[in-house]
Amino acid sequence: MRPRLLAALCLLAPTAALAAKDPRCAGKPAARAARFSDTALKGTSAAERYAAYIQACALDDVVALTQGLVRFKTVSSEAPASKNPEMAAMGRYLETWAKQHGFAFRTVGERDVFELSWGEGEPLLGLVFHGDVVPAAAHEWKRPPFKPVLEKGRLYGRGVEDDKGPIASALVALAMAKDLGLKPQGRVLVIIGNGEESDWNGMKKYADTEPKPTHVISVDSGYPVMAAQSGFVAWTLEAPVGTAAATPKEGTTARAVDVTAGEFLTQVPGAATLKLVPVKGQTPEVVLAQVKAAIAAEQPARKDLKADVKREGASVVLTTHGNAVHSSVADEGRNALWDLSAVAARLSLEDNGIAAMLRVVALRFDGDHHGDKLGVAYQDTLMGPLLVAPTVLRVKDGAVSLGINMRRPQGKDAPAFNASLDAAAKRVGEDSGGQVKEASGRYVGDPHVADTSGPLVQTLMDIFKRQRKAPDAVPGSIRGGTYARLFPRAVDFGPAFPNEPYTGHAPDESIALETLDLSTRMLAEAVHTLAIAPAPDAKATP
C-alpha cells in the first residue's frame, strides 16, 4: 500500500453510529461532492477525500438503491431473463440510473447480462454480481420479501445480501468517485449476470467472448478473500410410488400418499411434511396415535426436534420444522427432512416408494453433512470436506424424487467422483430392495482455485486486514459457486463477514447496515487502488 493512502485508511474505520447524519451530505451530488473537493479539504490527497466522502455519505444512497433493486421480483427459476418482465423492468431501472450518473449501459444477449461501464480504453477492473434471486416462499417469511424494510439496523428483503445490496455498494462507490472528478486508468465494468440461480449459459458466453478485465472481483460470498470454490453437484434419486396393497401386511398401520420438503435445490428445507392414510382395517385415530407416539419416542435422541401432527379428514399429516439455510452452509442450519425420516422410521408404513425413500434418507443422510454414510466423503486441506445436503423431496406423476446438492472440494477428479456416485447409487438401490434408483440429470462441476500470489489478492487482503484489524487473516474457500469461477484468476470479496450468519437464500434474508457500510468503503478503496491510481504492476495484464 502506498504511503499517500495511509491517512485515508484511518478515515475508513467503522463508524460507531451509522444513523448519525453528516451535514456535508445534504443536497444534490454536485453540491455535496464540492464539500469534499481539494479546495474544501486542502492538503488532502484524492484518496483521502474519496475515502471521507464514501464514509460520510454513501450508506443512505446504498440503502435506497438496494431497496429499488429488491422491489423487482427477478426470480430466474420462475422465468428466464429473456422472458422475465421483472428482469426487463430492472434493466430499464439500471439504464436510467446509469444515464443519470454518466455511465454507459448495455444489455448483452437476451438480457443475460447488464453491463455498466465507466472510463475509456481496455477493461481494467470488472466487478461481478448477479441480478436474479431465488424464490421467496411467502409462508416462510415474516415480511413481504419484495418490499424491503429497515428494522433495528438491518435491511430485509430477497436479494439484499445476494446480490442486490452488493450491486448497490459498487454503483454508489463508482458514482461518488465520478462526483469527485476521479477517473479510472482503464474501463471499470459492473457486470450483472441474470441467471446465476438457474442457468449460467448466458453469463458463461459473456465471460468466454467479451474482453477480460485485468482484475475481476465478484461480491457474492464472503471475506476476507475467497480464492477457491467447491464444485457444484446435483444428484437425484427417484422411486415409483406404487399402488396400495390389496391386503396390507400384518402390523401395517398406514400408507404414505404424499411427501414434501424444501423449496429449491440450494436451500436446506426448513419444513418437511408427510401425508398418511390408514390401511384397510385401521382408522385415522390409530394412525394419529402412532405418529404422536413416534414423535415422543424420537424426542430424547433429538433435543431440538420440532414436529406436529394433525388430522385432515381421513388423512394424518406429520410436519417437522428445521432451520432453512443456503445449502453451501448446510451444517449451519437444521434439515427438517432428517427429522421427518427419523420419525417415519418408527411408523408401521406400507412399503411403497415414499416409505422406501424415507428409509434411504434415514439410513444414508440423517445426521451426516459430509457423505460418510453414502460412502462418498473426502476432504482437502484448503477447501475442507465434501458437503452433502438432501434438499428437495416431491411426489409427481406417480414417482417420488429426492434432489441432493453437494459441494465438492479439489482432491478428487470428475471421473473418480462420478465413480463414487455410481457406487452410492448401487448402495441405495440395495438398501431399498431395488425401489430407489438414480434419476437422470446428474451434474458434477469442477472446483475453482485462483492465484493467491498476484496483486489482486494481495491488495484485497491488505484492505481487509487493516479494516477489520485482522493481521492474521488468510485467503479462504467457499462451498458455494459464484460467477468468479467463469473468469481466470477472479476472486470473491464479500459481502458476508467471518463468523456472521449468511442469510442469502434463507427466509427473511437480511443484511446489517454496518455490513453494507463497511463493504461499500472497502470496495471503494479497492476501486481506487486497482483502477483509479493503480501501481504499475497492478495495471499489467496477467
Side-chain angles (χ1 to χ4, degrees), residues 80-203:
S82 61
K83 299 179 181 179
N84 192 322
E86 292 287 316
M87 193 67 75
M90 190 174 78
R92 292 191 294 270
Y93 178 86
L94 285 168
E95 184 173 15
T96 299
W97 187 95
K99 289 180 178 178
Q100 290 172 344
H101 292 85
F103 297 118
F105 176 90
R106 69 179 180 128
T107 296
V108 183
E110 296 185 88
R111 293 195 287 270
D112 296 316
V113 177
F114 298 141
E115 181 194 270
L116 293 87
S117 178
W118 176 39
E120 299 178 354
E122 295 299 313
L124 177 57
L125 176 63
L127 303 174
V128 177
F129 311 87
H130 63 88
D132 62 320
V133 296
V134 295
H139 67 275
E140 292 187 343
W141 284 64
K142 298 176 183 177
R143 306 163 182 83
F146 298 101
K147 295 181 179 179
V149 295
L150 277 168
E151 292 181 11
K152 298 179 180 179
R154 298 189 72 86
L155 179 60
Y156 289 83
R158 177 56 88 214
V160 293
E161 186 167 30
D162 184 29
D163 252 0
K164 293 179 178 180
I167 291 172
S169 288
L171 292 178
V172 169
L174 297 185
M176 294 179 78
K178 194 170 185 298
D179 291 345
L180 291 175
L182 303 179
K183 295 181 180 179
Q185 300 303 301
R187 279 191 298 143
V188 177
L189 306 178
V190 175
I191 303 164
I192 304 170
N194 294 321
E196 199 267 354
E197 305 292 4
S198 55
D199 182 351
W200 283 37
N201 288 336
M203 186 61 156

Side-chain angles (χ1 to χ4, degrees), residues 386-458:
L386 173 73
L387 190 72
V388 177
T391 54
V392 181
L393 186 60
R394 291 286 188 277
V395 174
K396 184 179 180 181
D397 298 330
V400 56
S401 65
L402 175 65
I404 300 139
N405 187 206
M406 301 183 191
R407 309 297 173 116
R408 72 182 195 95
Q410 62 183 354
K412 185 176 285 189
D413 63 18
F417 186 76
N418 274 300
S420 70
L421 289 183
D422 292 340
K426 183 179 179 181
R427 293 186 192 99
V428 165
E430 293 169 350
D431 295 337
S432 62
Q435 292 183 83
V436 179
K437 299 179 180 178
E438 181 179 358
S440 61
R442 178 193 297 188
Y443 176 82
V444 174
D446 291 324
H448 165 79
V449 182
D451 175 17
T452 59
S453 63
L456 175 61
V457 171
Q458 295 303 310

Side-chain angles (χ1 to χ4, degrees), residues 229-282:
Q229 299 183 10
S230 296
F232 185 95
V233 178
W235 194 50
T236 306
L237 301 175
E238 66 179 4
V241 173
T243 57
T247 304
K249 273 188 179 181
E250 185 176 350
T252 302
T253 305
R255 175 165 55 95
V257 294
D258 197 13
V259 68
T260 302
E263 299 294 335
F264 42 92
L265 188 65
T266 56
Q267 184 192 73
V268 169
T273 300
L274 176 63
K275 185 176 182 180
L276 305 168
V277 296
V279 298
K280 186 177 180 180
Q282 300 291 344

Side-chain angles (χ1 to χ4, degrees), residues 393-525:
L393 186 60
R394 291 286 188 277
V395 174
K396 184 179 180 181
D397 298 330
V400 56
S401 65
L402 175 65
I404 300 139
N405 187 206
M406 301 183 191
R407 309 297 173 116
R408 72 182 195 95
Q410 62 183 354
K412 185 176 285 189
D413 63 18
F417 186 76
N418 274 300
S420 70
L421 289 183
D422 292 340
K426 183 179 179 181
R427 293 186 192 99
V428 165
E430 293 169 350
D431 295 337
S432 62
Q435 292 183 83
V436 179
K437 299 179 180 178
E438 181 179 358
S440 61
R442 178 193 297 188
Y443 176 82
V444 174
D446 291 324
H448 165 79
V449 182
D451 175 17
T452 59
S453 63
L456 175 61
V457 171
Q458 295 303 310
T459 295
L460 298 180
M461 284 301 304
D462 185 52
I463 291 170
F464 179 85
K465 287 178 181 179
R466 285 181 287 92
Q467 294 286 0
R468 296 289 287 186
K469 296 180 174 62
D472 298 327
V474 295
S477 172
I478 59 170
R479 294 163 175 161
T482 75
Y483 280 148
R485 68 193 303 121
L486 299 179
F487 298 85
R489 295 167 294 279
V491 299
D492 276 280
F493 188 56
F497 285 103
N499 302 317
E500 292 184 4
Y502 178 73
T503 64
H505 289 213
D508 291 301
E509 179 179 346
S510 68
I511 193 167
L513 295 188
E514 187 173 358
T515 296
L516 272 179
D517 181 59
L518 184 53
S519 291
T520 304
R521 289 186 273 133
M522 290 201 293
L523 195 57
E525 186 180 345

